[in-house]
């Protein structure tokens, strides 16, 4: 039973989902009104009592990111929230101060390196496309690259339809070279993939890679070795755009790839969305969890076997 005080303290969830998406949520995520209401109430109570979590968002859409990703398994959603809060503090250069007025981040957005498609795919998923040749590694570092990804996905994650249906990723690796990875160590790559896999509340459904240069095959192989079997099975490599069009509906792609909407229009829409989310993105930094020294030690021990940087990687 929700008390009057709790009703005032928390937002009242009102679904904005269409009938088909609600049915997908029921079938795939075990979600219904009763399950959702109970899970939200228990999740909030757990956060309030958590000895290490000092400040955390408790609005419905934020908590539903985790509950839907973990199919309403409350213990798994709670564990993912702990990890999400922790990595934001362990790697502030990647996840904090996501400022839409940062000229370097906005220059990367303007170049069209990372763009959400305006149309969803045939499964109702949000589609995010990256184009390596639109990222200039002589001007920007790998940290900039990761920060742009963080800023864009944080802007999208409150969308309920995407929370239910998940995300499809398209990556055009044309122009991708070792210089894109020059400021990253093997440990960095492992940590990034661990964050995506274990700490990011998104349903990662499909990843399509196209035009992968032979020169970075070893990096792709290394990355694939870190992914769990489920995510590994969802990565598809295509020789070219024509092959990609057999796997995804060409209409969703930018006009430059044979679709219907120009990349510049997609970039403009993204910039509008980022401006709308400006304060919300900044407020993420207010969340705080106390990280024990034991956790730092565990992380260091887990990663101690991986060293070196991609500058030293020899390519056959």
């Amino acid at each position: 039973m929700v008390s009057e005080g709790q009703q005032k303290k928390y937002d009242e969830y009102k679904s904005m989902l269409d009938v088909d998406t609600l049915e997908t949520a029921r079938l795939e995520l075990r979600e219904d009104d009763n399950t959702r209401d109970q899970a939200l109430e228990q999740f909030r109570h757990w956060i309030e009592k958590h000895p290490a979590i000092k400040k955390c968002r408790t609005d419905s859409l934020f908590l539903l990111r985790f509950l839907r990703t973990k199919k309403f398994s409350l213990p798994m959603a709670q564990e993912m929230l702990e990890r999400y809060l922790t990595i934001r503090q362990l790697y502030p250069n990647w996840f904090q101060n996501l400022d839409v007025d940062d000229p370097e981040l906005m220059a990367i957005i303007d170049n069209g390196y990372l763009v959400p498609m305006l149309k969803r795919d045939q499964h109702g998923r949000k589609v995010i496309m990256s184009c390596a040749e639109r990222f200039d590694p002589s001007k920007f570092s790998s940290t900039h690259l990761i920060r742009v990804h963080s800023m864009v996905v944080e802007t999208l994650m409150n969308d309920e339809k995407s929370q239910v249906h998940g995300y499809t990723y398209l990556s055009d690796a044309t122009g991708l070279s070792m210089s894109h990875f020059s400021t990253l160590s093997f440990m960095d790559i492992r940590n990034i993939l661990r964050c995506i896999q274990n700490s990011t509340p998104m349903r990662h459904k499909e990843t399509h890679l196209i035009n992968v240069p032979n020169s970075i095959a070893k990096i792709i192989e290394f990355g694939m070795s870190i992914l769990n079997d489920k995510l590994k099975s969802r990565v598809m490599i295509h020789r070219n755009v024509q092959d990609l069009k057999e796997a995804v509906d060409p209409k969703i792609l930018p006009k430059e790839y044979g679709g219907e909407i120009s990349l510049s229009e997609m970039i403009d829409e993204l910039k509008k969305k980022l401006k709308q989310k400006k304060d919300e993105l900044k407020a993420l930094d207010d969340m705080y969890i106390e990280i024990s020294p034991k956790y730092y030690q565990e992380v260091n021990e887990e990663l101690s076997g991986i060293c070196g940087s991609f500058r030293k990687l020899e390519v056959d």
Side-chain angles (χ1 to χ4, degrees), residues 69-115:
T69 299
K70 291 303 181 183
K71 299 184 178 181
F72 282 83
S73 164
L74 189 58
M76 292 175 74
Q78 290 166 344
E79 183 184 8
M80 177 169 264
L81 175 61
E82 287 176 325
R83 286 174 170 170
Y84 169 86
L85 295 174
T86 299
I87 63 158
R88 287 185 53 78
Q89 285 166 222
L90 284 179
Y91 312 115
N93 289 345
W94 295 347
F95 301 115
Q96 290 194 21
N97 193 28
L98 304 176
D99 186 357
V100 303
D101 294 324
D102 183 316
E104 292 177 315
L105 297 185
M106 292 317 293
I108 296 168
I109 294 290
D110 280 329
N111 288 343
Y113 162 67
L114 190 69
V115 190

Side-chain angles (χ1 to χ4, degrees), residues 14-43:
K14 291 179 181 176
S15 175
M16 303 296 286
L17 295 172
D18 57 76
V19 174
D20 289 343
T21 304
L22 284 170
E23 182 64 3
T24 300
R26 187 183 70 80
L27 293 174
E28 293 188 16
L29 311 181
R30 304 188 287 268
E31 178 178 351
D32 57 35
D33 290 345
N34 187 50
T35 301
R36 187 195 311 112
D37 290 346
Q38 283 193 7
L40 286 170
E41 185 179 352
Q42 291 168 12
F43 208 166

Side-chain angles (χ1 to χ4, degrees), residues 169-182:
Y169 308 99
L170 311 179
S171 180
D172 182 356
T174 302
L176 191 61
S177 65
M178 296 304 291
S179 56
H180 283 80
F181 302 94
S182 62

Side-chain angles (χ1 to χ4, degrees), residues 133-145:
E133 66 182 352
R134 292 178 173 272
F135 180 90
D136 186 348
S138 69
K139 290 183 180 176
F140 308 108
S141 70
S142 306
T143 298
H144 288 114
L145 185 148

Side-chain angles (χ1 to χ4, degrees), residues 124-298:
R125 299 169 191 154
K126 191 69 177 174
V127 182
I128 305 172
M129 186 171 192
S130 62
C131 308
E133 66 182 352
R134 292 178 173 272
F135 180 90
D136 186 348
S138 69
K139 290 183 180 176
F140 308 108
S141 70
S142 306
T143 298
H144 288 114
L145 185 148
I146 299 165
R147 288 174 63 73
V148 165
H149 278 268
S150 299
M151 185 167 70
V152 171
V153 299
E154 282 288 358
T155 300
L156 299 175
M157 278 196 282
N158 267 13
D159 183 273
E160 284 200 87
K161 195 164 184 177
S162 301
Q163 288 180 358
V164 173
H165 290 291
Y167 295 82
T168 293
Y169 308 99
L170 311 179
S171 180
D172 182 356
T174 302
L176 191 61
S177 65
M178 296 304 291
S179 56
H180 283 80
F181 302 94
S182 62
T183 59
L184 291 177
S185 68
F186 286 98
M187 190 182 292
D188 287 334
I189 292 292
R190 182 184 171 101
N191 288 346
I192 292 162
L193 291 173
R194 282 175 69 242
C195 290
I196 292 169
Q197 186 168 265
N198 303 321
S199 312
T200 309
M202 303 170 77
R203 301 190 73 207
H204 309 297
K205 302 299 287 186
E206 287 182 8
T207 298
H208 298 270
L209 305 176
I210 59 171
N211 301 322
V212 178
N214 291 332
S215 59
I216 63 154
K218 281 193 174 182
I219 297 175
I220 299 294
E221 188 181 328
F222 173 71
M224 291 287 284
S225 72
I226 293 166
L227 298 178
N228 62 36
D229 289 342
K230 184 169 77 172
L231 286 187
K232 207 176 289 185
S233 70
R234 294 177 176 180
V235 177
M236 285 144 272
I237 300 177
H238 309 278
R239 286 173 301 170
N240 49 43
V241 176
Q242 202 54 46
D243 278 3
L244 174 69
K245 288 178 180 177
E246 294 176 16
V248 302
D249 183 354
K251 289 180 182 178
I252 69 172
L253 299 173
K255 194 175 282 185
E256 291 82 350
Y257 288 81
E260 298 177 343
I261 302 171
S262 69
L263 196 60
S264 61
E265 192 177 334
M266 294 179 178
I267 293 167
D268 287 343
E269 285 300 315
L270 173 59
K271 288 169 72 175
K272 284 180 196 171
K273 187 82 170 173
L274 288 169
K275 289 288 185 186
Q276 289 169 3
K277 296 282 185 176
K278 176 181 176 177
D279 293 339
E280 189 177 306
L281 286 168
K282 283 187 174 180
L284 291 170
D285 296 347
D286 295 337
M287 295 190 291
Y288 185 75
I289 186 171
E290 286 184 349
I291 306 170
S292 67
K294 182 174 177 287
Y295 185 89
Y296 279 109
Q297 186 180 348
E298 286 172 0

